Amino acid sequence: MTKQRKKRPESKSSSQNSSVLKEVIAAIRRGMSFLVTTHANPFGDALGSAIALGLGLKKLGKKIKIYNADPVPGNLRFLSESKQVTSSLGADECFDAAFIVDCAEPERVGEIFEKHRNRGRLIVIDHHRKSGRAGDINLIEPTAAST
């Protein structure tokens, strides 16, 4: 006889995040061009998350730009696709949406990003408990070890 797993009751947080995740998926389906970024002076988890999200969007046939205000640190250049991360963001570049990962404060991404007028909807994906609600869509999961 196989043991049946007991279903865990859905927490309020995961219930809310389920709804928010549907919003993120809808934004991805609607859009064709995406900007992906994280905080300046990125750590491995932040940069890895940005690259992974960018690769996932690319695999879906989306046009992506992975941006960071700072160059990829030397100790993180081993990351797959780290050469795709750029520190340039042209004022005329237009995006359907911009993702900030591992950070919920656009000011930590840098002034060029903050002032960019054509970044589209702002989608924040983060795991830090103190994350604000700076995005148009905010997917915050404080129980996750990383973004």
Side-chain angles (χ1 to χ4, degrees):
M1 187 158 107
T2 31
K3 220 177 186 181
Q4 286 188 346
R5 282 184 162 178
K6 284 186 180 179
K7 226 179 177 183
R8 277 194 233 166
E10 204 170 285
S11 72
K12 187 175 180 186
S13 174
S14 69
S15 172
Q16 288 171 339
N17 277 348
S18 174
S19 168
V20 174
L21 186 57
K22 287 177 184 175
E23 285 184 70
V24 173
I25 291 168
I28 292 170
R29 285 185 175 148
R30 278 192 307 269
M32 282 306 297
S33 180
F34 296 91
L35 177 62
V36 182
T37 190
T38 189
H39 56 80
N41 300 309
F43 301 116
D45 64 333
L47 200 57
S49 294
I51 291 170
L53 177 57
L55 289 174
L57 290 167
K58 194 173 185 179
K59 197 163 190 109
L60 292 172
K62 308 298 182 175
K63 181 181 170 204
I64 60 140
K65 180 165 195 167
I66 305 171
Y67 167 80
N68 195 271
D70 295 310
V72 174
N75 66 324
L76 298 177
R77 289 193 187 126
F78 73 92
L79 289 171
S80 167
E81 305 296 320
S82 66
K83 288 186 169 119
Q84 300 302 312
V85 179
T86 181
S87 293
S88 69
L89 186 58
D92 61 336
E93 292 182 271
C94 294
F95 304 94
D96 297 311
F99 285 89
I100 299 178
V101 296
D102 197 49
C103 170
E105 300 86 21
E107 63 274 7
R108 289 188 60 213
V109 175
E111 190 175 341
I112 292 172
F113 177 82
E114 266 194 292
K115 291 183 176 181
H116 193 73
R117 295 182 186 266
N118 300 315
R119 65 181 186 209
R121 293 184 78 189
L122 183 58
I123 303 170
V124 172
I125 301 176
D126 197 7
H127 68 108
H128 296 101
R129 187 169 303 282
K130 63 181 179 181
S131 289
R133 299 286 184 242
D136 298 307
I137 302 172
N138 298 284
L139 181 58
I140 311 297
E141 185 53 66
T143 61
S146 65
T147 305

